[in-house]
Amino acid sequence: MQNGKTGHGEEAQDKGGDPLSGAAPRLFEQALAILAGQIGQGALPAGTRLSESVIAAQFGISRAPARRALAELERLGLVEKAEGRGYRVRETDGRRGISSTPSSLALGSEDLRLVPQSSWERIYGEVEDEIVARVSYGSWRLNEAELARHYNVSRTVARDVIGRLQQSGVIRKDERARWYAPALTPGHIDELYELRWLLEPAALVKAASNLPAGLLSRLRASLEEAIAHAHEIGGDTLDRLEQELHVELLGHCGNRALMQAIALQQSLLIAHRFLYRWTPRLFETEPFLPEHLAVVERLEAGNPKAAAEALEQHLRVSRSRAAARVAAVVEQVNPEPLSYLERLD
């Protein structure tokens, strides 16, 4: 990324066989956990210099998730920008006296290496993020041959990535059968939300009788915790809460065709994953939290019809917030050119 911002892509090890699931830790999260632990234990003492390239090589990942892990470490106050390039580990009270000799990154053990998934899974998350980072600015054509060349993969692998991007609603075909990612214009956002408030409440009513024991109480507890700390939660928490209601809960509706139709419109959830990262404090407190809680409470009360009505109302009022986040991101993020993406407007 340019404009002084960190990168946003990460490989899709977390996605397993389903690019919409997001159940397991992402590569950057795994790298972040290990690095934070090493810093906390003093294995990486104050003054140690860290760089994207070294972390990527040590963990066997691309530079995008390495860059994201470093950005998160900086946000947590564990590292700071170093003179020139890279970062250096900061001195903290909890680590003073453990070690005072700066070192190079030397995780060393093969057990710490993050082994990415094979084929399309190795690059899917990064490609998805790169596209979503740009649709706030306009529509983009995706070139399959350039995608394969950029990541040094076969056309078959590139085609698999494209197929899954289509399944998640990120890209579609134009009238000449070429792949493109439509811009998140106000009109497109309105269309997507209108489809969502028509489809998701129907899925919710169907899901109500199929929910496993404990799911609603877990979702309510998560929302109540977030509301209690609304001024502190970040983009990752907002993304998780969105997934819990709109993907995990609705996924129990038992109608595969309906869920496939919903998934095509839920490209907005993927977009929000990026938008929340850059605009977690757009509102004083996140307004969707009490709205999600109202849906869950009505389900707990045994009134799926009222829950569906609350969900529809939530989606109707959410579209203007999505447009506001897109506008805010345009002011903050300036993605660099990529060979496989061509601006259309």
Side-chain angles (χ1 to χ4, degrees):
M1 293 293 250
Q2 298 171 342
N3 207 26
K5 299 295 182 182
T6 55
H8 48 266
E10 68 263 354
E11 297 180 29
Q13 178 161 319
D14 59 311
K15 301 184 185 292
D18 180 0
L20 295 176
S21 66
R26 287 174 276 189
L27 287 179
F28 92 85
E29 291 171 329
Q30 296 178 55
L32 171 64
I34 292 173
L35 291 167
Q38 293 280 335
I39 292 171
Q41 296 163 13
L44 294 175
T48 299
R49 294 181 68 90
L50 306 176
S51 69
E52 294 174 18
S53 58
V54 172
I55 290 174
Q58 287 284 341
F59 288 132
I61 58 180
S62 76
R63 291 181 65 153
R67 187 182 314 135
R68 178 83 189 279
L70 282 169
E72 292 296 315
L73 287 171
E74 182 184 25
R75 186 181 64 81
L76 293 171
L78 297 176
V79 303
E80 60 189 0
K81 289 283 180 61
E83 293 183 11
R85 302 182 66 181
Y87 295 77
R88 67 181 182 86
V89 176
R90 295 183 59 187
E91 183 69 70
T92 65
D93 291 337
R95 216 180 47 252
R96 286 194 180 112
I98 297 176
S99 175
S100 59
T101 304
S103 67
S104 60
L105 177 60
L107 299 177
S109 171
E110 286 298 316
D111 293 337
L112 295 176
R113 190 173 180 82
L114 308 182
V115 181
Q117 298 286 330
S118 59
S119 67
W120 65 270
E121 293 175 304
R122 293 189 295 110
I123 65 172
Y124 178 88
E126 187 170 324
V127 175
E128 180 188 271
D129 260 7
E130 296 289 5
I131 293 174
V132 171
R134 289 161 174 78
V135 292
S136 297
Y137 297 85
S139 299
W140 299 80
R141 177 164 296 128
L142 176 59
N143 185 303
E144 178 186 302
E146 287 297 330
L147 176 65
R149 188 175 299 112
H150 180 86
Y151 287 101
N152 194 28
V153 297
S154 69
R155 290 286 289 271
T156 300
V157 171
R159 208 164 292 129
D160 284 343
V161 171
I162 288 172
R164 284 157 178 84
L165 288 168
Q166 181 193 27
Q167 289 173 9
S168 60
V170 174
I171 63 173
R172 58 182 65 174
K173 280 188 175 181
D174 65 15
E175 65 281 358
R176 297 174 62 182
R178 296 175 299 183
W179 295 111
Y180 78 103
L184 280 179
T185 61
H188 185 46
I189 291 172
D190 285 350
E191 291 173 352
L192 291 174
Y193 267 105
E194 183 175 2
L195 285 167
R196 288 185 66 188
W197 75 57
L198 290 171
L199 296 174
E200 291 190 32
L204 182 68
V205 171
K206 289 181 172 292
S209 60
N210 301 322
L211 300 179
L215 175 60
L216 291 176
S217 60
R218 173 168 62 80
L219 265 58
R220 175 169 45 79
S222 293
L223 289 163
E224 289 174 344
E225 175 72 11
I227 291 170
H229 300 88
H231 295 283
E232 305 168 16
I233 59 176
D236 287 344
T237 299
L238 297 176
D239 176 48
R240 174 176 58 80
L241 294 171
E242 289 272 43
Q243 295 287 327
E244 286 179 352
L245 179 69
H246 295 289
V247 177
E248 181 181 0
L249 192 152
L250 294 185
H252 293 283
C253 83
N255 186 322
R256 289 180 60 85
L258 178 57
M259 286 309 299
Q260 287 174 350
I262 289 174
L264 287 174
Q265 318 314 323
Q266 285 187 329
S267 60
L268 278 170
L269 289 183
I270 297 172
H272 276 307
R273 186 183 307 154
F274 177 81
L275 297 173
Y276 286 146
R277 191 180 308 161
W278 291 103
T279 61
R281 298 289 181 269
L282 186 61
F283 305 99
E284 184 176 353
T285 59
E286 182 54 49
F288 84 67
L289 298 175
E291 295 165 5
H292 278 207
L293 184 59
V295 174
V296 171
E297 288 176 338
R298 284 160 175 76
L299 287 173
E300 286 186 310
N303 194 340
K305 181 179 179 181
E309 291 171 352
L311 177 58
E312 178 182 345
Q313 180 60 26
H314 158 62
L315 290 169
R316 284 180 178 273
V317 299
S318 292
R319 57 179 175 175
S320 61
R321 300 173 199 154
R325 289 194 186 278
V326 169
V329 164
V330 169
E331 296 179 358
Q332 297 182 52
V333 183
N334 183 21
E336 56 195 27
L338 281 174
S339 61
Y340 59 86
L341 292 174
E342 175 191 356
R343 177 77 177 266
L344 295 179
D345 49 22

